[in-house]
Amino acid sequence: MSKQRTLFSFFTKSPPPSSRGGKPGPEAVAAPASAKKDDISPRQAVKENGSGACKRPRTTAAASTSPFFTKGGNAARKEAASSHTAASSQACDFVPGDVVWTKLEGYPWWPSLVYNHPTANEYLRGKGKSLRIHVQFFDDPPTRGWVSVKYAKKYTGLDSKEVQRGGVYFSGKPEIQRAMVEADRAHQKSREKRLELAVCTEPSEPEDEDDNVEEDVEMEVGDQSTVSEEDKENKSGEDKENNGEEDKENNSEEEIRPRKRSSRVARTASVKAKRRRVVVESDSEAESSEDEFKPDHQEGSSDECSSGVDEKDISEPEIETDPESPVKTPFKRKRRAAAAPAPPMAKSTTISPPEAPRRPALLSTGTKSRLSAFSAPDTFECQAAGSTSGSPSPTAVWDHERLEWLKPGQRKDRKRQREGDPDYDGSTLYVPEDFLSKCTPGMRRWWELKSLMLDTVIFYKVGKFYELYHMDAVCAVGELGLTYMKGSWAHSGFPEIAFGRFSDALVQKGYKVGRVEQTETPDMMEARCRATAHPTKFDRVVRREVCRIITKGTQTYSVLDGNSSESCSNYLLCLKEAPACCSNDAVPGHCRSYGVCFVDTSMGKFHVGQFADDRHCSRLRMLVAHHVPVQVLVEKGNPSAETRKVLKGCLFSALQEALQAGTQFWDARKTLKVLAEEGYFSEGEREVLGSSLPPALRGMVSETDSLGLTPGEDWELALSALGACVFYLQRCLVDQELLSMGNFDVYVPVDVAGEGPAGGRIRSGQRLVLDGVTLTNLEVLRNGTTGSREGTLLEQLDRCCTYFGKRLLKQWLCAPLCDPAAIEDRLHAVEDLMAVPGPTAEMLELLKKVPDLERLLSRIHSLGSPLKSNDHPDSRAVLYEETTYSKKKIADFLSALEGFKVFQELLRVVEPSVAGFKSKLLKQILSLKGTGTDGLFPDLSAELQRWDTAFDQQKARNTGVITPKAGFDPDYDRALADIKETDADLQEYLEKQRKRLACRAVVYWGSGRNRFQLEVPESMADRHVPEEYELKSTKKGFKRYWTKAIERLLEAMSGAEERRDAALQDCMRRLFYNFDRNYKDWQAAVDCVAVLDVLLSLMYYSQSGEGSMCRPVVSYDADRTQPFLELKGSRHPCILKTFLGDFIPNDVVIGYKGAKDLENGHGDQQASCLLVTGPNMGGKSTLMRQVGLLVIMAQMGCYVPAESCKFSPVDRVFTRLGASDRIMSGESTFFVELSETSSILQHATHHSLVLLDELGRGTATYDGTAIASAVVKELAENTKCRTLFSTHYHSLVEDFSHSSAVSLGHMACMVENECDDPSQETITFLYKFIDGACPKSYGFNAARLANIPEEIIQKGHKKAEEFEKTTVSLRLFKEICSLFEDADVNLLKLQPVLKKIAKI
């Protein structure tokens, strides 16, 4: 297929420079990118943006140095270019051998190496603003290009701030990270050694093209009178007029015209004749408004509005075409010979000389009719012919903005309901029929689709491009950086191959994207029209259908969409609420029930559940914290105000959409009915199911209903939420590929799973509960400053090599273990891996080669699904890059096979060590099933060997076509056997006829349906031809015959060939389907390796953590052991160093002193509540977070940064840290504090860990103190859970100073020059936790550190002294009153109080 160019080269923001004459402006050096690119490699960038990378200007140098562009001229240009290198280098700070940061315009920064051009022996070109530098990008393989000097910056190494997160050069893309590692290695070498790294000598694509042009054409400078007579005859009237105008304005400038070499006159003339033709082979090709056709400007036709190229740029297609292409004769774009005249407002005033005259293209009436099938409506007025593409003027008003029925406030939905109506559907639009009747067929279809998807940006396929119209084009230009085409109606587009990049960019910004494909070829359209009695003009256009709607929560990352760069799951959550009194699962203390269904569409895993919740929506908050949704679907009018506040506050960045009750958000019965009717879970699709419903859903159906159409008790809300999910997936056209996987789990909240019998014992399988507030306050997954992973526990522990391992680590972090035996087993696994460093290192290297197999398995299932192949619009789509997509499918499949082969190698590496492992879990995941060790890893060797011999993998990777080997595909093998058998029968029949006619010259002749005619010499035919011979054709000297036997054999041969072709055409899908039949085994292997990856990550952290690391000791005896926690020399896992130096370790003991003889349940019992005081900024909050994080790490089965760690299991961690409001939910700071405290008091058990920081500061002092005192008393004396309670209420400390249930501790500090003047005090924070209470909070020290004015501090200090005297006086007055109430009062008892009064 001839090479096609992208739209970006057509939609220039300023007139393109002349390629063969005139003095070029800056545009000739580096044409601006028309769209912002994603992070792609420089190799792709050079191909897409050659003018900005390594494309050489072909216009100016030769004209001034030599009248000819000969090879000698090339040498002269090189000499001239090298002569000004020294002068140019003065404006450039870099020399060959320097490592620099460079970027092509619109692309990311990339580490590069400056070096001389391999053929020109120069590294600088141009001058002034057009100065460019030649670099080699650190890529695999290396690529090179010319980059503007303004986009070249000094490389400072991996440790510089610019490379870290938030820096200008930071990038999370693995390609750029690998390039930075290579650049860092080069940066440490000498300049001579660096230049040895410059190995890229291959010319880039634009350089190849330029060299070909220079070799084929010589340019001569002369007057207008030197133009040949032949060229004058071919010059059109319009060209003459334009040339005349240019002669007037540029009569002093030389003109350039092509002069053909005499040896190539005939060939050049034939090529020129070709380029005067326009060939249209298909309707879809004709309708493509980007590179096929553009009417003359004089006609004023609206067709030019949908055209991105002049007809002069169209050439006849090459003779050889790609057999896989839907269009057999694609057009080949020809490089422009002259620039269009600059508009009056253009910055550049350079006028290009006229190009060589050319005869205008001739179009037949039929061709014009088909080309106009997608022209603009007659009511759309185009701009003047001289206007250029690009952004409109600031005062421009697009045609769609003039439509009254489209303006805000005037819109109606499909049912003609206005925007103010309660049932108004904002996703649809009413389009008047009289408007549609004026539209062209293509545009009418667009408006029909837009009326159904008003909230969706439609990528509308026209030929080889996706085009965007009207409001969609405005969106694309603003968000994607595309450029407008000419005309008063908004219109833009891009090539088919760029769909993944542009669609993902819009989806990540919160838009819906609809992909509309051509599902008909022109031949199919013609056949349809012939079969129609009276076809209209609207019938004479290829059919287009919506093939996919993509939203942020429904991304599946198909071959068109590209791969995901994120490891985390993006969930689509469907939620339905009902009052607890209306549901059967009502629980005391719970006032509402929720039905939920959430799915990760990239893996096809559904979670369905129903649960009761309290007034604070604690379980709902925990759900959205553990499984963060990016899109939420609710029923209109269903969620309560409290639930809406939770969704708005916790998921402020998620897309939220309300569905119509009944029709869109189905009830439980309709959900079950649709699941049964659609046949998503039929046995033909997944035999292992053995039933019409997956096991998880089967338990939600009433046991009395054999048909499975009646919801079970307490599952109506869950099934209704599932119904909404199914409806939305149907709308997005991904329901078949996802639901047919049958991958369903019952969602049970973590705290519900941990609810045990009376007595509150830790149960086997129970999990540590971490709600959303705790995850946020402890910064387990995201930090509170930027919302990123930086500084979180997840970042510290995540050393996983695989994406599925990273996802499992996050699950373990959100729900650590509670069972002491399970915790010990994981710790044994970490120790076992530490004991075998050799195999461990090999396993880590092997895991780095494994792709994201979970998502690949889902993608392979989608590609092999027979449901999708039968009636999905994508199966009918006409794709022009089908070969590319086929190669991508095969590459993904082979990548999955390679990943599973790595698994086999991994088992081989670790096999000798498995027998010595103490961990039962580690033995299970590394042992094969059926080996007698309770192994969980499936034996994949036979399957992998089978797939290795199924087809030629390298050939399939290169061609995109799979040809199965013998024995793999029964249908294909049967068809080949029948062909071979029929061919043998035909040869046998031929031999019989030769003997019968006694002539060896009889042979078969013919092709296609006329094959196997017996060709008999005429002399023999006249004498010996039997009667059954039927004459079919003749040629001089021969006659050709058929017989009934030949017809029968030909029919058998044709049928076998059709079966062979059909099997081959469907071979890839059936191959993927056969692979997917063993999905359970493939997924089981992935699950085992995910566990191994997480254990290796924990092992890596346990070994490489700074400072002392210890193995936690967990002890639990429900009958004798009281909850306790003992940390010695513990450090915060996420703060390795402070701004003052190394982190200071601390001891924390709650529940026991010394924790001696814990196995026997003995020891010195200590208070379970620890009251923490200390100066402001002394480290109290850090200490509390540290304790919470260490408990989480210990119960995950990881070593902790401490000298020793002993504890009994914690069933739930509660936190009330920091001060913040929830403005999106309408909750004040103090209300948030009390809500979190209320949740603690309601749900805390004997085994919980409570971290409360400064409760009560959001209200009056007395109210806050009273509330804090009551909470401490409840937790210490009634709940008796392990509690750290920090406070600045010193009266609270005095109240509990003698309580046996509360112990005191404080963060130590050193005070120098303590006096009445706070400015003289010097406070040094020791960050050491010691016993006892801190006498003061030293708030004025914090005020001074915050630069509060000194006079304000002095006034505040005086006021504080007054408050302190008043408080002390009141306390002494109470003591005296209490003493006088005693009948035995005497002077001896009063003396201490009197002394205190005297001091005052």
Side-chain angles (χ1 to χ4, degrees):
M1 179 184 288
S2 60
K3 185 161 47 183
Q4 301 294 332
R5 293 203 178 194
T6 67
L7 275 175
F8 304 125
S9 59
F10 309 151
F11 302 155
T12 53
K13 295 182 180 179
S14 58
S18 172
S19 59
R20 302 191 179 181
K23 184 177 180 180
E27 299 87 346
V29 180
S34 60
K36 292 292 181 186
K37 314 295 188 296
D38 290 335
D39 289 354
I40 59 176
S41 69
R43 178 170 63 257
Q44 295 167 320
V46 168
K47 289 181 179 180
E48 293 186 14
N49 194 9
S51 62
C54 53
K55 187 172 181 177
R56 297 181 303 205
R58 298 183 281 116
T59 56
T60 60
S64 59
T65 57
S66 173
F68 301 101
F69 282 166
T70 61
K71 293 184 178 179
N74 291 341
R77 283 206 313 279
K78 292 179 181 179
E79 180 180 358
S82 61
S83 65
H84 81 270
T85 300
S88 299
S89 63
Q90 298 177 0
C92 179
D93 299 331
F94 307 111
V95 295
D98 285 347
V99 180
V100 294
W101 282 101
T102 59
K103 72 189 292 289
L104 300 175
E105 188 170 354
Y107 290 85
W109 288 95
W110 206 285
S112 313
L113 175 68
V114 180
Y115 78 110
N116 283 336
H117 190 281
T119 57
N121 197 27
E122 61 183 6
Y123 72 96
L124 292 175
R125 280 188 179 173
K127 59 180 66 176
K129 295 182 178 180
S130 301
L131 184 62
R132 293 179 293 161
I133 188 169
H134 187 262
V135 298
Q136 173 178 291
F137 301 102
F138 287 99
D139 197 10
D140 186 19
T143 54
R144 62 183 178 86
W146 291 94
V147 181
S148 176
V149 171
K150 68 179 181 178
Y151 291 130
K153 306 295 181 184
K154 184 178 179 181
Y155 185 84
T156 55
L158 281 174
D159 298 330
S160 63
K161 294 182 179 179
E162 291 83 358
V163 179
Q164 305 303 321
R165 187 178 297 275
V168 66
Y169 304 129
F170 172 77
S171 175
K173 298 292 181 181
E175 297 87 352
I176 299 182
Q177 290 178 347
R178 286 194 297 267
M180 287 192 290
V181 173
E182 294 181 19
D184 220 48
R185 294 173 185 163
H187 193 245
Q188 299 171 4
K189 299 181 180 179
S190 63
R191 190 180 304 276
E192 292 74 15
K193 292 290 185 181
R194 290 183 213 151
L195 288 174
E196 294 177 2
L197 301 174
V199 297
C200 183
T201 59
E202 294 297 325
S204 61
E205 178 183 330
E207 287 180 324
D208 287 335
E209 294 176 0
D210 293 349
D211 292 342
N212 294 336
V213 171
E214 290 172 358
E215 290 176 2
D216 290 345
V217 182
E218 293 181 354
M219 304 301 294
E220 179 181 0
V221 180
D223 296 330
Q224 183 78 14
S225 60
T226 63
V227 179
S228 65
E229 292 299 322
E230 178 185 357
D231 289 343
K232 288 182 180 179
E233 292 174 2
N234 292 336
K235 189 182 294 290
S236 65
E238 180 183 1
D239 289 337
K240 290 180 181 179
E241 180 180 349
N242 292 339
N243 291 340
E245 294 176 358
E246 291 182 7
D247 286 341
K248 294 177 183 178
E249 297 178 6
N250 302 296
N251 51 14
S252 62
E253 295 185 6
E254 295 179 333
E255 294 186 25
I256 300 175
R257 68 175 182 82
R259 184 169 64 87
K260 283 69 181 177
R261 293 191 179 98
S262 58
S263 61
R264 284 184 273 180
V265 170
R267 180 174 63 84
T268 306
S270 65
V271 171
K272 185 175 181 181
K274 276 186 177 182
R275 293 185 177 179
R276 285 198 293 265
R277 297 176 56 206
V278 175
V279 181
V280 180
E281 289 292 328
S282 70
D283 176 76
S284 58
E285 183 88 21
E287 289 180 359
S288 175
S289 61
E290 306 304 332
D291 70 336
E292 280 83 5
F293 172 72
K294 180 179 180 181
D296 294 336
H297 288 289
Q298 292 90 333
E299 296 178 7
S301 170
S302 59
D303 286 356
E304 69 172 321
C305 296
S306 61
S307 176
V309 62
D310 188 75
E311 68 179 33
K312 290 182 272 188
D313 293 331
I314 300 176
S315 62
E316 188 181 39
E318 295 177 353
I319 297 175
E320 295 185 4
T321 60
D322 188 351
E324 297 297 325
S325 173
V327 178
K328 299 300 180 183
T329 56
F331 292 102
K332 181 176 181 181
R333 185 172 309 287
K334 178 182 170 185
R335 188 176 289 104
R336 287 186 182 272
M345 298 301 293
K347 293 183 180 179
S348 175
T349 58
T350 303
I351 299 178
S352 304
E355 67 172 26
R358 194 159 41 212
R359 201 171 286 160
L362 301 177
L363 297 175
S364 66
T365 304
T367 299
K368 286 185 178 181
S369 174
R370 284 196 287 170
L371 285 173
S372 64
F374 203 82
S375 60
D378 297 336
T379 56
F380 289 172
E381 299 177 1
C382 295
Q383 295 177 354
S387 63
T388 60
S389 61
S391 300
S393 63
T395 58
V397 177
W398 295 117
D399 283 344
H400 71 269
E401 295 173 339
R402 299 190 183 101
L403 300 173
E404 291 296 328
W405 47 267
L406 194 57
K407 293 181 179 179
Q410 302 295 323
R411 294 177 185 171
K412 300 177 183 177
D413 64 8
R414 290 273 295 176
K415 297 180 180 179
R416 302 196 184 187
Q417 298 177 116
R418 296 193 175 274
E419 292 179 335
D421 294 342
D423 295 331
Y424 173 76
D425 184 3
S427 63
T428 64
L429 174 71
Y430 168 69
V431 181
E433 185 61 34
D434 59 343
F435 174 82
L436 292 176
S437 62
K438 298 177 183 178
C439 295
T440 57
M443 187 56 72
R444 178 190 177 97
R445 178 59 177 160
W446 185 88
W447 277 111
E448 289 173 348
L449 293 173
K450 194 63 179 177
S451 68
L452 300 172
M453 303 183 297
L454 181 61
D455 59 345
T456 303
V457 178
I458 297 178
F459 287 7
Y460 195 83
K461 176 64 79 62
V462 181
K464 303 179 186 67
F465 297 93
Y466 289 105
E467 300 196 357
L468 300 99
Y469 305 116
H470 308 308
M471 61 284 278
D472 293 348
V474 174
C475 171
V477 170
E479 299 289 358
L480 303 177
L482 300 179
T483 53
Y484 292 113
M485 294 189 205
K486 281 192 214 179
S488 59
W489 59 302
H491 181 191
S492 185
F494 57 86
E496 176 186 295
I497 198 66
F499 171 81
R501 181 153 46 93
F502 286 124
S503 63
D504 185 66
L506 282 182
V507 168
Q508 294 306 317
K509 294 181 179 183
Y511 292 93
K512 294 181 183 178
V513 172
R515 176 166 60 86
V516 177
E517 297 287 354
Q518 295 176 179
T519 55
E520 225 179 25
T521 63
D523 293 338
M524 295 167 65
M525 178 201 65
E526 294 293 345
R528 172 170 53 83
C529 291
R530 286 194 297 269
T532 305
H534 301 287
T536 65
K537 69 172 183 176
F538 298 115
D539 296 320
R540 296 188 179 278
V541 62
V542 292
R543 180 178 286 117
R544 291 178 173 88
E545 299 178 64
V546 180
C547 291
R548 181 74 165 89
I549 295 177
I550 309 174
T551 68
K552 207 169 183 180
T554 59
Q555 287 184 287
T556 55
Y557 302 106
S558 66
V559 289
L560 271 74
D561 302 333
N563 296 321
S564 172
S565 59
E566 299 179 349
S567 63
C568 61
S569 297
N570 294 325
Y571 290 103
L572 170 69
L573 170 65
C574 301
L575 177 72
K576 186 165 185 177
E577 178 186 1
C581 59
C582 298
S583 62
N584 297 322
D585 58 349
V587 178
H590 296 97
C591 60
R592 57 174 59 88
S593 292
Y594 291 108
V596 296
C597 174
F598 55 97
V599 56
D600 180 358
T601 54
S602 66
M603 292 181 287
K605 188 164 187 176
F606 292 79
H607 304 265
V608 185
Q610 183 169 329
F611 54 87
D613 209 347
D614 58 22
R615 62 181 299 271
H616 301 292
C617 307
S618 301
R619 288 173 177 166
L620 178 61
R621 292 179 189 271
M622 185 162 52
L623 165 65
V624 298
H626 290 188
H627 308 276
V628 183
V630 295
Q631 187 174 2
V632 181
L633 303 177
V634 297
E635 188 178 34
K636 275 191 176 180
N638 171 261
S640 63
E642 292 80 3
T643 301
R644 288 198 297 269
K645 287 181 180 180
V646 171
L647 296 177
K648 187 180 295 184
C650 298
L651 303 173
F652 56 89
S653 63
L655 305 177
Q656 298 186 25
E657 186 172 351
L659 303 180
Q660 296 284 350
T663 57
Q664 297 177 340
F665 207 112
W666 301 337
D667 58 24
R669 290 182 178 273
K670 184 174 181 180
T671 301
L672 294 174
K673 181 180 178 182
V674 171
L675 292 178
E677 291 175 348
E678 295 293 335
Y680 294 121
F681 315 116
S682 61
E683 292 186 8
E685 178 66 14
R686 180 85 60 192
E687 292 182 356
V688 296
L689 290 179
S691 175
S692 59
L693 288 176
L697 298 183
R698 211 178 305 148
M700 300 181 185
V701 179
S702 175
E703 298 178 355
T704 60
D705 187 356
S706 59
L707 298 178
L709 300 179
T710 304
E713 190 176 359
D714 300 335
W715 292 110
E716 290 192 356
L717 294 178
L719 290 173
S720 180
L722 174 61
C725 187
V726 173
F727 163 80
Y728 203 77
L729 295 179
Q730 284 184 351
R731 173 187 281 184
C732 296
L733 297 162
V734 290
D735 57 312
Q736 295 172 335
E737 60 188 88
L738 296 178
L739 290 167
S740 59
M741 295 180 71
N743 199 349
F744 285 81
D745 280 342
V746 178
Y747 172 74
V748 180
V750 179
D751 61 331
V752 174
E755 289 179 351
R761 298 190 178 195
I762 299 294
R763 298 187 300 121
S764 176
Q766 187 175 340
R767 297 281 179 161
L768 170 61
V769 179
L770 301 174
D771 57 23
V773 174
T774 300
L775 292 175
T776 301
N777 289 337
L778 297 183
E779 297 187 335
V780 175
L781 305 177
R782 293 178 293 178
N783 66 51
T785 305
T786 62
S788 66
R789 286 183 25 166
E790 186 177 3
T792 63
L793 183 60
L794 177 60
E795 183 192 42
Q796 290 297 317
L797 298 181
D798 189 2
R799 300 293 188 273
C800 295
C801 302
T802 64
Y803 278 177
F804 45 85
K806 291 177 182 291
R807 289 190 286 269
L808 181 61
L809 174 62
K810 183 179 177 182
Q811 294 178 24
W812 283 17
L813 263 177
C814 291
L817 300 171
C818 271
D819 185 7
I823 297 173
E824 285 292 336
D825 193 60
R826 277 195 194 171
L827 290 169
H828 285 323
V830 172
E831 276 194 350
D832 290 339
L833 293 173
M834 287 182 181
V836 286
T840 297
E842 288 188 59
M843 286 191 290
L844 286 172
E845 290 301 318
L846 288 172
L847 286 175
K848 292 177 182 178
K849 303 176 184 178
V850 177
D852 192 349
L853 288 173
E854 273 188 317
R855 285 175 173 159
L856 281 179
L857 288 176
S858 175
R859 190 180 302 175
I860 291 171
H861 169 83
S862 172
L863 295 173
S865 172
L867 283 176
K868 184 176 179 180
S869 66
N870 292 335
D871 56 358
H872 197 281
D874 249 343
S875 63
R876 300 185 291 272
V878 179
L879 300 175
Y880 288 79
E881 300 290 344
E882 184 64 47
T883 302
T884 301
Y885 303 142
S886 296
K887 290 180 180 179
K888 182 67 169 62
K889 294 175 186 177
I890 294 171
D892 286 343
F893 179 69
L894 296 179
S895 176
L897 290 178
E898 290 299 321
F900 288 111
K901 290 178 184 177
V902 171
F903 287 2
Q904 297 296 103
E905 180 67 17
L906 189 146
L907 292 179
R908 185 193 62 78
V909 168
V910 77
E911 184 179 7
S913 307
V914 173
F917 289 160
K918 295 181 291 183
S919 171
K920 182 180 178 182
L921 173 65
L922 200 56
K923 285 184 177 181
Q924 287 178 334
I925 63 173
L926 294 177
S927 301
L928 296 177
K929 288 182 179 178
T931 56
T933 57
D934 297 328
L936 298 176
F937 205 102
D939 188 0
L940 305 176
S941 55
E943 273 294 301
L944 291 175
Q945 186 176 2
R946 172 173 170 258
W947 286 105
D948 275 343
T949 59
F951 60 95
D952 188 334
Q953 296 183 359
Q954 190 57 43
K955 180 181 178 182
R957 193 190 298 270
N958 294 336
T959 63
V961 178
I962 292 179
T963 304
K965 294 183 179 179
F968 187 81
D969 190 333
D971 294 341
Y972 184 73
D973 292 342
R974 213 165 17 249
L976 288 182
D978 291 346
I979 291 174
K980 186 176 181 180
E981 181 182 353
T982 305
D983 187 67
D985 292 343
L986 284 165
Q987 293 302 321
E988 182 181 355
Y989 184 79
L990 178 62
E991 288 297 326
K992 289 181 179 179
Q993 300 309 309
R994 285 174 176 174
K995 292 179 180 179
R996 184 176 183 180
L997 298 176
C999 178
R1000 302 297 300 175
V1002 177
V1003 294
Y1004 283 132
W1005 178 91
S1007 61
R1009 299 296 299 179
N1010 295 317
R1011 285 178 291 173
F1012 306 120
Q1013 297 180 26
L1014 289 172
E1015 188 176 72
V1016 182
E1018 193 170 7
S1019 58
M1020 186 68 63
D1022 294 339
R1023 292 176 298 167
H1024 297 90
V1025 173
E1027 294 182 358
E1028 66 266 24
Y1029 276 33
E1030 179 184 351
L1031 183 65
K1032 297 294 292 184
S1033 62
T1034 61
K1035 103 171 176 179
K1036 186 175 181 180
F1038 295 92
K1039 291 186 178 181
R1040 297 168 183 144
Y1041 300 93
W1042 254 7
T1043 66
K1044 296 294 183 180
I1046 291 178
E1047 287 187 27
R1048 186 175 63 257
L1049 290 173
L1050 176 59
E1051 185 177 355
M1053 175 69 77
S1054 299
E1057 288 174 343
E1058 288 177 2
R1059 286 186 285 113
R1060 178 201 61 189
D1061 294 341
L1064 198 60
Q1065 184 177 10
D1066 198 36
C1067 178
M1068 186 182 299
R1069 188 205 63 78
R1070 286 186 289 113
L1071 180 142
F1072 292 154
Y1073 174 70
N1074 288 331
F1075 179 88
D1076 183 60
R1077 290 170 68 89
N1078 294 316
Y1079 173 82
K1080 292 291 184 182
D1081 285 342
W1082 302 122
Q1083 185 60 49
V1086 172
D1087 293 340
C1088 289
V1089 175
V1091 173
L1092 176 64
D1093 195 15
V1094 177
L1095 291 174
L1096 287 170
S1097 180
L1098 298 181
M1099 181 273 300
Y1100 183 88
Y1101 174 80
S1102 300
Q1103 277 186 327
S1104 61
E1106 294 191 15
S1108 59
M1109 303 290 291
C1110 74
R1111 170 173 172 157
V1113 177
V1114 57
S1115 176
Y1116 177 70
D1117 189 329
D1119 296 327
R1120 293 178 291 179
T1121 302
Q1122 295 296 318
F1124 72 95
L1125 173 65
E1126 181 186 64
L1127 297 171
K1128 297 292 185 182
S1130 63
R1131 305 183 310 281
H1132 196 294
C1134 304
I1135 306 177
L1136 302 179
K1137 292 182 180 294
T1138 66
F1139 57 89
L1140 297 177
D1142 293 336
F1143 190 87
I1144 297 173
N1146 279 301
D1147 299 343
V1148 178
V1149 179
I1150 308 175
Y1152 275 91
K1153 289 183 179 178
K1156 298 177 182 177
D1157 200 16
L1158 294 174
E1159 291 79 6
N1160 298 322
H1162 301 298
D1164 300 326
Q1165 186 170 357
Q1166 190 188 26
S1168 61
C1169 180
L1170 187 57
L1171 208 56
V1172 182
T1173 55
N1176 286 290
M1177 300 176 59
K1180 298 186 299 300
S1181 298
T1182 300
L1183 177 72
M1184 299 173 73
R1185 288 187 172 92
Q1186 171 183 318
V1187 171
L1189 291 174
L1190 294 185
V1191 168
I1192 294 173
M1193 293 174 63
Q1195 295 195 196
M1196 278 186 65
C1198 179
Y1199 280 37
V1200 298
E1203 295 175 2
S1204 70
C1205 173
K1206 301 176 182 179
F1207 70 102
S1208 60
V1210 175
D1211 66 351
R1212 187 161 184 167
V1213 177
F1214 294 94
T1215 60
R1216 179 15 283 137
L1217 301 172
S1220 62
D1221 57 15
R1222 295 175 185 156
I1223 191 65
M1224 298 299 293
S1225 302
E1227 299 175 357
S1228 68
T1229 303
F1230 187 56
F1231 182 83
V1232 171
E1233 288 186 19
L1234 295 183
S1235 296
E1236 295 174 356
T1237 304
S1238 172
S1239 179
I1240 293 172
L1241 296 174
Q1242 290 181 29
H1243 301 292
T1245 69
H1246 188 52
H1247 297 285
S1248 299
L1249 173 65
V1250 177
L1251 307 174
L1252 274 163
D1253 184 21
E1254 300 183 30
L1255 176 65
R1257 59 186 165 184
T1259 186
T1261 303
Y1262 296 119
D1263 292 350
T1265 305
I1267 292 174
S1269 177
V1271 170
V1272 170
K1273 188 176 182 66
E1274 174 67 21
L1275 293 175
E1277 298 179 2
N1278 296 332
T1279 307
K1280 295 181 180 180
C1281 60
R1282 284 158 286 185
T1283 304
L1284 273 77
F1285 191 106
S1286 70
T1287 184
H1288 288 290
Y1289 295 145
H1290 293 280
S1291 59
L1292 186 68
V1293 176
E1294 293 177 4
D1295 291 343
F1296 290 97
S1297 59
H1298 303 293
S1299 173
S1300 61
V1302 178
S1303 60
L1304 304 180
H1306 72 279
M1307 301 303 298
C1309 65
M1310 184 172 61
V1311 183
E1312 300 177 18
N1313 302 325
E1314 187 171 6
C1315 60
D1316 293 339
D1317 186 358
S1319 63
Q1320 301 301 316
E1321 290 181 349
T1322 301
I1323 300 178
T1324 303
F1325 300 122
L1326 301 180
Y1327 301 109
K1328 196 68 178 177
F1329 186 65
I1330 60 177
D1331 292 337
C1334 184
K1336 296 173 60 177
S1337 293
Y1338 301 102
F1340 290 105
N1341 176 67
R1344 188 168 64 253
L1345 293 175
N1347 291 324
I1348 297 293
E1350 188 62 34
E1351 60 181 39
I1352 302 297
I1353 295 176
Q1354 292 292 345
K1355 291 179 181 179
H1357 189 265
K1358 291 179 181 180
K1359 200 67 177 175
E1361 289 179 342
E1362 294 177 10
F1363 289 149
E1364 187 174 358
K1365 287 180 181 180
T1366 303
T1367 303
V1368 172
S1369 299
L1370 288 173
R1371 188 181 302 117
L1372 292 176
F1373 178 74
K1374 290 179 180 179
E1375 289 184 21
I1376 292 175
C1377 291
S1378 62
L1379 288 174
F1380 277 107
E1381 290 178 358
D1382 189 359
D1384 298 330
V1385 65
N1386 54 39
L1387 185 61
L1388 197 60
K1389 291 183 178 180
L1390 291 174
Q1391 191 172 2
V1393 180
L1394 294 174
K1395 286 182 179 181
K1396 293 179 182 178
I1397 294 175
K1399 287 183 179 180
I1400 297 176

